[in-house]
Amino acid sequence: MSDALLAADLLAAAPARLGGMWLRGPSAERDAVLAFLAEEFADRPVRRLPVHIDEERLCGGIDVASSLSAGRRIEQAGLLEEVAGGLLVVPMAERMGGMVAGRIAQAMDAGAGFALVLIDDGGEEEVPPVSLTERVAFWCDFSTNPAVIAPESDLSRIPEGLGNTGGGCTVAAQDRQTLANITLALGIDSARAMLFAQSALSFSAQIDERDSITDDDIQFVARTILGPRATRIPQQAEEPPPPPPPEGEEEPPPGDNDGEDEQHDPDQLDDLILAAVLASIPKDVLARIGEGRSARRATGAGGAGRKRASQMRGRPLGARPGLPRGGARLALIDTLRTAVPWQEIRRQQEGMDAPKRLRIRKGDLRIRRFEERAEALTIFAVDASGSSALARLAEAKGAVELMLAQSYVKRAQVALIAFRGTSAELLLPPTRSLTRAKKVLGELPGGGGTPLALGLSAAAELAETQAARGRTPFVAVLTDGKGNIDRNGQPGRAQAGEDALAAARRFAQSGTQAVVIDISARPQPEAAAIAAAMRARYLALPRADARGVERAVSALQFGKAS
């Protein structure tokens, strides 16, 4: 029996007490759990939340079609009212807006009693709203911990009435202390996790018709409820050696306990369960926790650019009063909902013999707002001059290819500027095509002087141009900071240094985020000074390879740095 199916079994038994499930990973395992839940909720309402549902359909309100037909206000039930006591499935939960998440959380807190299933198709840094993940008991990630699901397993053994009247066996004080110790060791600061774990223990024993909690129950709860919420790696205390027997007494032979039942020491039990939790947490999650970040506290959007308001496209937001001009779209349904309640009054004002028609006033008009996520763009500005040009270009080309390989997931583009001799050249315009990039990067020029000022100016100009087109640029400058060609193409270190600092200050005024990567053999003060003038991050990565450059840029641009 897989953990996921057992969790689904318990959720069907007590949806109000356990809240729901968060399913992440391959669709085959998720579909198997959903199919099982559909069978368990066969006699209860099951609804699937539309991706772009509006507040009226979610919470209820005016039935526009019926109201227009009847000539009077007719209310309709909302989706949250329809699914009360049943199962609400949320596909693409990682894209849910704050309004929808807040309404669902509010309904759950008010006792709607439905089980919530969050289907997560997002990337590593794209997760559903915390307000909902904290209100579901079970977190199941099949991408890192694949579940072995046996279709022939019969888990439909829920005693009638279980979970509806506070059923379940009593959780002993010692078991509650064990849960508290695990919660503390894993750094979980949510009281809901402790309450979910206690309820799951109680119903797990009740379903198996037991009167007491077993170690297997506690380990199951630790794997599915507490372990995925860990924010730090627990420290397991070393077991002290047993004290030597007093003089004159012989140590009893192994296994001889004079017929007494063997008892588990509470501290030892905690260590066993913590070991089970550690074994169930994926290694990459442990690595992230070790860096000081929770695996489930990410709030980024997988590399997409900044959010911005839009009148024409993007994720729809709530409608607001206004006139459909300047590119704004008329929200027809919202306009009708506003006008319908006033139809009878307006007809009476015009006279009872007035023709029966829809009367819409200027104040009824509503326009639709959208939230558009700008596409991210990484601009590499690479110092291709001097004897180390080949190494720097190789690192830059490798980093570009690594980032382009993930560009679809991160919704990002990549561009490359190389500066050498007396000019800076855009060798790779913004693109998401890995094939095109490899073709362009195959033969890149290298050697000559270092026109650092021209390189910074070219990067700033490209960033400003792309920002005007709706993208979110991020500039990564690979250099040692030692320019020797000024902005007019003339040699001279003194003037070249002044021009580079001036270009860096102009770059700072644009507000574009950037990083200066010093890849010289030893960190150079000139590169740090350029970074300070640009108001950019400075990273000294001597002898960095392509993977190191890509990781550094991704960490700063996409929020993966601690």
Side-chain angles (χ1 to χ4, degrees), residues 11 19-24 30-31 34 37 46-53 58 79-80 83 86-97 100-105 108 114-122 127-129 131-133 136:
L11 179 60
M21 303 179 69
W22 176 9
L23 303 179
R24 185 182 180 94
R30 298 196 319 242
D31 292 345
L34 288 175
L37 282 170
V46 178
R47 298 289 186 273
R48 197 174 185 90
L49 186 77
V51 176
H52 297 305
I53 190 171
L58 183 67
L79 182 64
L80 295 179
V83 79
L87 178 67
L88 179 60
V89 180
V90 182
M92 291 188 289
E94 74 282 357
R95 299 188 181 183
M96 183 184 299
V100 177
R103 293 299 190 187
I104 295 175
M108 296 177 73
F114 56 79
L116 179 66
V117 179
L118 303 173
I119 308 299
D120 184 358
D121 295 310
V127 296
S131 59
L132 295 185
T133 58
V136 298

Side-chain angles (χ1 to χ4, degrees), residues 188-531:
I188 301 173
D189 56 4
S190 172
R192 287 192 179 95
M194 179 70 177
L195 296 175
F196 283 145
Q198 184 170 327
S199 297
L201 279 183
S202 176
F203 293 121
S204 177
Q206 184 72 6
I207 284 180
D208 286 338
E209 300 180 351
R210 290 184 276 105
D211 296 329
S212 60
I213 307 299
T214 65
D215 293 358
D216 290 339
D217 295 327
I218 298 178
Q219 292 184 26
F220 160 74
V221 166
R223 289 193 303 270
T224 57
I225 298 179
L226 301 179
R229 288 173 162 87
T231 61
R232 67 182 178 212
I233 301 175
Q235 300 296 325
Q236 292 178 285
E238 297 181 359
E239 184 178 355
E247 295 183 5
E249 293 186 11
E250 296 183 0
E251 185 176 355
D256 185 6
N257 56 6
D258 296 332
E260 296 180 359
D261 294 335
E262 183 178 357
Q263 299 291 331
H264 283 293
D265 179 71
D267 293 335
Q268 184 179 3
L269 178 62
D270 288 350
D271 289 341
L272 291 173
I273 297 173
L274 287 175
V277 172
L278 288 174
S280 67
I281 298 177
K283 293 182 179 179
D284 58 334
V285 175
L286 283 176
R288 291 196 296 268
I289 295 175
E291 294 172 2
R293 299 184 295 113
S294 168
R296 299 302 188 194
R297 295 295 182 183
T299 57
R306 301 185 185 96
K307 297 178 181 178
R308 61 177 185 172
S310 174
Q311 293 182 329
M312 297 299 296
R313 60 185 180 181
R315 184 171 65 86
L317 301 175
R320 64 178 179 86
L323 298 178
R325 56 190 176 190
R329 296 183 183 181
L330 175 67
L332 179 60
I333 301 300
D334 296 280
T335 299
L336 293 176
R337 286 189 182 126
T338 305
V340 161
W342 302 97
Q343 294 305 300
E344 188 64 27
I345 296 176
R346 291 171 182 173
R347 186 184 177 189
Q348 292 176 4
Q349 291 174 346
E350 295 179 7
M352 296 304 297
D353 56 346
K356 189 176 181 179
R357 57 183 175 81
L358 185 62
R359 295 161 174 82
I360 297 180
R361 304 288 186 263
K362 182 178 179 181
D364 299 332
L365 297 179
R366 297 293 184 270
I367 58 175
R368 177 67 65 188
R369 297 177 301 157
F370 298 87
E371 182 182 72
E372 185 180 9
R373 190 179 292 278
E375 190 174 39
L377 170 65
T378 306
I379 302 173
F380 286 92
V382 184
D383 181 356
S385 64
S387 59
S388 59
L390 294 179
R392 273 194 288 261
L393 286 174
E395 293 153 5
K397 288 189 290 185
V400 168
E401 293 183 5
L402 288 171
M403 296 198 71
L404 279 175
Q406 305 179 41
S407 62
Y408 179 79
V409 176
K410 295 180 177 180
R411 305 185 188 96
Q413 294 194 10
V414 177
L416 175 64
I417 295 174
F419 51 94
R420 58 179 289 272
T422 59
S423 64
E425 182 180 0
L426 177 61
L427 298 177
L428 180 65
T431 182
R432 292 175 63 181
S433 172
L434 183 58
T435 303
R436 177 186 178 189
K438 287 184 176 180
K439 182 178 180 181
V440 173
L441 298 175
E443 297 180 359
L444 289 183
T450 308
L452 181 55
L454 296 178
L456 296 178
S457 298
E461 182 179 353
L462 179 60
E464 292 176 1
T465 301
Q466 296 302 313
R469 296 180 180 178
R471 297 190 176 99
T472 303
F474 182 89
V475 177
V477 182
L478 280 70
T479 183
D480 57 5
K482 297 180 179 180
N484 54 22
I485 301 293
D486 63 20
R487 62 182 180 180
N488 297 318
Q490 301 300 317
R493 290 190 177 276
Q495 186 61 44
E498 294 178 3
D499 290 348
L501 288 174
R505 296 187 190 101
R506 289 193 296 270
F507 184 99
Q509 295 175 358
S510 68
T512 302
Q513 294 186 349
V515 58
V516 175
I517 301 178
D518 186 351
I519 56 174
S520 55
R522 295 180 180 178
Q524 301 295 320
E526 293 86 349
I530 293 294

